[in-house]
Amino acid sequence: MDKTGRYLFMAEPFHCDFSHRLFMGHLGNHMLNAADFHSTDRGFGMNYLNPIHKTWVLSRLAIEMEEMPEQYSKFYVETWVESAMRYFTNRNFSVVGEDGRVFGYGRSVWAMIDTDTRQPQDIFAIRDGSIREWIETERECPIEKSSRVKMGGGAELVRTIDTYYNDVDVNGHINSVKYIEHVLDLFSVDFYRIYRLHRFEIAYVAESHAGDRLNFYSEKTADDECCVRITKCEDTGSKETEVCRCKIEFVEK
């Protein structure tokens, strides 16, 4: 089996926006599915980890696209493990059309946690560190690594939402991609008629759960860039806890 996994997807019509291009959220889901397929095929996926009370959680994700796949088009998500440390592993992605054209790339950082204690676990303790066998050292990912997303003191509260059943994933917390969708909803449809999303970064800080109220603080950091900080309140009037930070870069169409 190759160190790189290659998985075929299609830009289904109801996964596309008004421009007939794939939503970034659905692309993010395809990447996370590809990561699960890849790890499962190689013996360290969630179907092995969950029965022993462990799971993978996403720590950081950066997606940079030159173009989004068009409605009905088929494309591949390729994924490989770039490196692994005791508590974190770096996984990369490429999005490739059937004709070989590269639409874009992704970078991600993952941690393994105990599903009971929610504490980090030693990745190398799983199957005697078999993940080392799948590290790809000869393939590079050309985009910048995901960052911690630095923000100043100028962020303004722009939206507050409640969370429900459809926000929750298989790990019991708010789905990683749901944050991306909620952040991209901060911009109007008219805005997206003029600008195209080029790069999206998200750094996760803490988990949130169904029933938590999420606050979105936005700060413009450049002409074509803004950052968003998301906090949670578990109860009305309770103290805010930072959940994640995002950096969004747009280009004019």
Side-chain angles (χ1 to χ4, degrees):
M1 200 180 305
D2 291 340
K3 291 182 178 179
T4 296
R6 196 169 195 247
Y7 307 97
L8 182 64
F9 298 95
M10 185 176 76
E12 299 176 39
F14 294 103
H15 290 173
C16 296
D17 67 8
F18 64 86
S19 69
H20 303 281
R21 300 276 180 172
L22 188 67
F23 276 112
M24 176 63 80
H26 283 292
L27 177 62
N29 276 323
H30 292 326
M31 286 183 170
L32 301 193
N33 282 328
D36 180 62
F37 299 155
H38 180 271
S39 59
T40 295
D41 290 343
R42 289 151 183 81
F44 51 93
M46 288 195 294
N47 66 338
Y48 173 75
L49 294 176
N50 289 169
I52 59 174
H53 304 281
K54 293 176 176 56
T55 193
W56 290 108
V57 292
L58 188 60
S59 177
R60 297 185 200 174
L61 177 66
I63 302 175
E64 188 171 311
M65 301 295 291
E66 296 304 320
E67 185 181 355
M68 295 295 282
E70 285 188 279
Q71 179 178 324
Y72 292 114
S73 66
K74 294 181 180 180
F75 60 93
Y76 295 95
V77 174
E78 300 176 342
T79 184
W80 64 99
V81 177
E82 180 182 80
S83 62
M85 296 146 283
R86 185 177 181 183
Y87 294 118
F88 293 97
T89 182
N90 294 294
R91 173 182 289 279
N92 298 331
F93 304 92
S94 64
V95 183
V96 184
E98 286 191 300
D99 59 358
R101 177 176 40 150
V102 178
F103 291 107
Y105 295 91
R107 284 184 174 272
S108 62
V109 179
W110 298 76
M112 184 182 293
I113 65 168
D114 184 288
T115 55
D116 297 322
T117 66
R118 315 306 286 183
Q119 295 301 305
Q121 299 296 293
D122 184 351
I123 293 171
F124 296 134
I126 301 300
R127 293 192 184 275
D128 298 321
S130 65
I131 193 173
R132 292 188 180 97
E133 302 172 15
W134 303 106
I135 295 174
E136 175 58 83
T137 58
E138 296 182 3
R139 181 171 184 177
E140 294 185 359
C141 184
I143 67 171
E144 291 184 14
K145 293 183 178 181
S146 52
S147 65
R148 292 186 180 274
V149 185
K150 296 180 180 180
M151 295 181 67
E156 297 182 357
L157 178 63
V158 293
R159 186 166 297 169
T160 298
I161 66 169
D162 294 316
T163 52
Y164 299 98
Y165 162 76
N166 274 297
D167 292 308
V168 180
D169 69 8
V170 295
N171 288 322
H173 57 215
I174 302 303
N175 187 307
S176 303
V177 172
K178 283 292 183 179
Y179 295 112
I180 298 175
E181 294 177 341
H182 290 318
V183 167
L184 294 179
D185 279 343
L186 297 176
F187 305 89
S188 70
V189 172
D190 286 340
F191 178 88
Y192 287 108
R193 296 188 195 281
I194 301 171
Y195 296 96
R196 177 182 66 81
L197 180 61
H198 175 60
R199 180 180 171 95
F200 192 103
E201 285 189 46
I202 184 166
Y204 300 93
V205 179
E207 295 179 306
S208 63
H209 302 85
D212 289 349
R213 177 163 288 183
L214 301 181
N215 299 311
F216 295 75
Y217 294 87
S218 180
E219 178 182 22
K220 189 171 183 178
T221 48
D223 288 340
D224 58 353
E225 175 189 290
C226 76
C227 293
V228 175
R229 179 172 68 248
I230 303 175
T231 67
K232 68 175 180 179
C233 295
E234 297 177 7
D235 299 297
T236 302
S238 66
K239 182 181 178 181
E240 292 183 59
T241 302
E242 185 170 302
V243 175
C244 62
R245 292 188 181 194
C246 308
K247 183 166 70 172
I248 311 104
E249 298 177 14
F250 294 97
V251 293
E252 195 166 351
K253 290 183 178 178

